[in-house]
Amino acid sequence: QVQLVQSGAEVKKPGASVKVSCKASGYTFTGYYMHWVRQAPGQGLEWMGRINPNSGGTNYAQKFQGRVTMTRDTSISTAYMELSRLRSDDTAVYYCARGPPTTVTIDYWGQGTLVTVSS
Amino acid sequence: QSVLTQPPSVSAAPGQKVTISCSGSSSNIGNNYVSWYQQLPGTAPKLLIYENNKRPSGIPDRFSGSKSGTSATLGITGLQTGDEADYYCGTWDSSLEKVFGGGTKLTVL
């Protein structure tokens, strides 16, 4: 069965960076996009971008351009999302989520990683 | 401010039917498939509907989706207390970004 297992919660200071990992299993890692979506406390879903694990190509949301970097390691079926220059309003649960190549949907989600930015 | 517009909340009694709307524009819903996600309290979202009206394996036929022009609708029949959750619509935008609605909280009275 498809599983996306994310790294644990993080606490960071403003200005720092955070790197969240997402290990995929149960399917061919390079055959599906990996999206990153975040959810601030009590708020809705916000798409950050996606990576094509096969080519390494990325699409980032305009809002995060210059601050986010998505990478992958195909040898261990793991995707990474690094967000830099953290601010307090970056406090959120960050999800990785699989996206089939032939449709714009997202079909499986990771369990989420809480990132808290506080001085 | 979300790109797609959903009502903040809807409610209905157990066994009844409810619909949740999602309004967009020609740059998103009007030219792309719509998906719907269910988020139970404290959990990750789950795909309910994709490509406007298709259900993934394991999703009961109490859940249905439709699209007309620049709007989409999620329907839930035979409401159960376990359906209490936040529901989000999502699609692709011409800006090459995935966009979501602000979410609708369903209360089963």
Side-chain angles (χ1 to χ4, degrees):
Chain A
Q1 73 283 20
V2 174
Q3 281 195 302
L4 301 173
V5 179
Q6 299 183 222
S7 48
E10 304 260 13
V11 179
K12 296 292 183 180
K13 293 193 182 302
S17 297
V18 68
K19 190 171 186 177
V20 180
S21 68
C22 171
K23 183 169 178 60
S25 62
Y27 72 98
T28 301
F29 178 65
T30 52
Y32 294 79
Y33 287 105
M34 190 68 77
H35 297 256
W36 290 88
V37 178
R38 77 176 187 180
Q39 186 171 36
Q43 302 301 307
L45 303 173
E46 182 174 35
W47 186 78
M48 300 179 69
R50 68 177 181 177
I51 183 169
N52 179 334
N54 188 43
S55 66
T58 54
N59 299 114
Y60 298 143
Q62 178 77 14
K63 175 177 179 176
F64 299 101
Q65 288 274 3
R67 276 212 306 147
V68 70
T69 304
M70 296 177 187
T71 57
R72 91 292 189 215
D73 184 338
T74 57
S75 69
I76 55 172
S77 300
T78 299
Y80 303 91
M81 186 284 299
E82 184 170 21
L83 189 62
S84 63
R85 303 193 299 278
L86 289 169
R87 307 184 294 254
S88 58
D89 62 358
D90 290 318
T91 294
V93 175
Y94 289 76
Y95 294 101
C96 63
R98 190 184 83 160
T102 56
T103 178
V104 299
T105 197
I106 286 173
D107 60 0
Y108 286 93
W109 298 68
Q111 84 276 18
T113 296
L114 174 62
V115 175
T116 302
V117 182
S118 174
S119 55
Chain B
Q1 190 94 5
S2 300
V3 173
L4 307 180
T5 301
Q6 297 181 233
S9 64
V10 295
S11 62
Q16 296 300 302
K17 174 183 177 178
V18 72
T19 59
I20 297 172
S21 61
C22 175
S23 177
S25 69
S26 58
S27 66
N28 41 67
I29 290 180
N31 283 286
N32 287 289
Y33 288 124
V34 176
S35 300
W36 288 91
Y37 305 90
Q38 177 193 60
Q39 187 175 32
L40 297 169
T43 70
K46 173 184 174 183
L47 180 64
L48 278 184
I49 298 289
Y50 67 101
E51 292 182 1
N52 301 335
N53 55 19
K54 297 178 181 177
R55 283 176 287 106
S57 173
I59 300 300
D61 59 7
R62 299 190 299 109
F63 296 91
S64 64
S66 64
K67 182 185 121 170
S68 178
T70 58
S71 293
T73 302
L74 173 70
I76 311 173
T77 60
L79 276 173
Q80 302 172 1
T81 55
D83 295 332
E84 284 204 338
D86 293 323
Y87 292 83
Y88 294 91
C89 58
T91 188
W92 198 247
D93 189 86
S94 60
S95 60
L96 300 182
E97 299 186 9
K98 185 163 178 72
V99 292
F100 293 99
T104 299
K105 182 177 182 60
L106 169 63
T107 301
V108 181
L109 302 168

